[in-house]
Amino acid sequence: MKKTEFRALSVQEVVELLRQPAPTLVLFHARPDADAVGSAFALSLWLRAMGSEAYCVCADEVPQHLAFLTKGLQESVLVDTVPAHLVDARVVSVDTASPGQVGALFERYGERFLLMIDHHGTGTPYADHLVLPKAASCGEIVFDLIAASGVDVPPRVSELLYAAIASDTGGFRYSNTTEGTHLRAAALLRSGIDAASLCRQLFETKQLANLRAEKAGFERLHFYDGGRVAILTFPYELQQSMGLAEENLGTLIDVARCVAGVEVAAAIRGTKEGSFRASLRANVDFDVAAVAACFGGGGHVRAAGATLTADTIEQAEQMLYDTIMGRRGTTHGETP
Ligand SMILES: [Mn+2]
């Protein structure tokens, strides 16, 4: 029978569970970011240090700009590269809040999840879980698990965790950054990693194709509510005509978010399936996860995402705008 009730586990319980050697697939969310990749590979190296065979798997390949993180560890994370003897392994997920984020692999592994380790406040548990919404990144939780285990891990783990933590805090700039974030980062620095090099690769290097996408996206940036709400749209036809990959559109949201005066930002891109993928960010105390939840999505209070069903991208933009404004209550201030 399908299990529908799941238990919340403590850090210590998870350590004891994972200390028992067993072949393990470490799964992370589709369209992976550095927290997902860093947390998953750090967890798999820790599992190996405790005598388990481990392999990282994802519905999507690690994007090109994060390939430096996995270099020399695994050639690919796609499911058809899982070694035959690990096909029936237990499955542990990191940074993956709901079945939707597992993506195309949920059908395959849905019944086999031993555990989910995550830091998203909104989500739909699909296994026994360690979910700590106060953690700025899943990397912080994996850091704590490794520390609690007292197991010696290879130096590469420090790099992976630092990248995970730095990434989800926007380089220690976002409001989710806590004293605990810095303390963990300090411990990782103490192990001798080249943090400046990691940060340059994470934050100061962009694919030329991303910059081309940002330039085109900037032309399609609309401001509302006196410049407090910014929404950028990027139709799938435009992506195709420019020869851009999906991963080249990941920084569009930053174009909308970084403009002075913007409080809530969104980037909507068309997909080849005909739906519309929205990323949402808040620069002020406004819950974009609640906006995303109206469309079946989720995320964090200040960073969330959802997939919208609409006939046109203009209609998707209108739906998102209406929902944002509905949750912001009566508009304040006057239009310039
Ligand atoms: Mn994360």
Side-chain angles (χ1 to χ4, degrees), residues 287-309:
D287 188 355
V288 288
V291 173
C294 294
F295 302 99
H300 306 285
V301 171
R302 291 192 177 207
T307 300
L308 281 66
T309 305

Side-chain angles (χ1 to χ4, degrees), residues 122 229 231 264-266 268 278-282 286-308 316-329:
T122 57
V229 176
I231 304 181
V264 182
I268 308 170
S279 297
L280 289 148
R281 300 288 185 273
F286 175 74
D287 188 355
V288 288
V291 173
C294 294
F295 302 99
H300 306 285
V301 171
R302 291 192 177 207
T307 300
L308 281 66
E317 180 178 12
Q318 184 69 47
M319 285 160 62
L320 195 62
Y321 170 77
D322 289 344
T323 308
I324 291 169
M325 295 312 289
R327 297 201 67 89
R328 275 165 71 82

Side-chain angles (χ1 to χ4, degrees), residues 106-141:
F106 195 74
E107 234 169 88
R108 181 185 293 248
Y109 296 126
E111 308 278 310
R112 300 223 327 259
F113 279 102
L114 173 77
L115 177 70
M116 54 183 282
I117 299 168
D118 188 35
H119 71 119
H120 294 85
T122 57
T124 309
Y126 48 88
D128 289 348
H129 46 81
L130 174 64
V131 179
L132 303 174
K134 288 207 173 88
S137 59
C138 201
E140 289 187 18
I141 304 173

Side-chain angles (χ1 to χ4, degrees), residues 198-213:
L198 286 170
C199 286
R200 183 173 44 73
Q201 292 177 90
L202 284 173
F203 307 116
E204 294 179 19
T205 311
K206 275 182 186 174
Q207 303 293 324
L208 188 58
N210 282 50
L211 285 171
R212 288 176 54 232

Side-chain angles (χ1 to χ4, degrees), residues 146-230:
I146 295 174
S149 73
V151 170
D152 268 334
V153 288
R156 186 70 179 267
V157 169
S158 299
E159 285 181 21
L160 290 162
L161 291 180
Y162 192 90
I165 294 171
S167 171
D168 260 22
T169 56
F172 307 97
R173 290 173 302 169
Y174 299 160
S175 63
N176 58 358
T177 308
T178 64
E179 184 186 342
T181 309
H182 282 290
L183 287 170
R184 290 174 183 86
L188 296 168
L189 282 173
R190 215 178 296 131
S191 71
I193 57 168
D194 186 348
S197 165
L198 286 170
C199 286
R200 183 173 44 73
Q201 292 177 90
L202 284 173
F203 307 116
E204 294 179 19
T205 311
K206 275 182 186 174
Q207 303 293 324
L208 188 58
N210 282 50
L211 285 171
R212 288 176 54 232
E214 288 180 16
K215 182 181 176 221
F218 179 73
E219 302 295 334
R220 304 181 52 89
L221 178 58
H222 300 145
F223 295 100
Y224 303 98
D225 193 24
R228 295 178 194 89
V229 176

Side-chain angles (χ1 to χ4, degrees), residues 235 268-271 274-278 306-313 316:
I268 308 170
R269 62 173 178 80
T271 70
S275 60
F276 300 94
R277 183 72 200 164
T307 300
L308 281 66
T309 305
D311 293 329
T312 63
I313 202 162

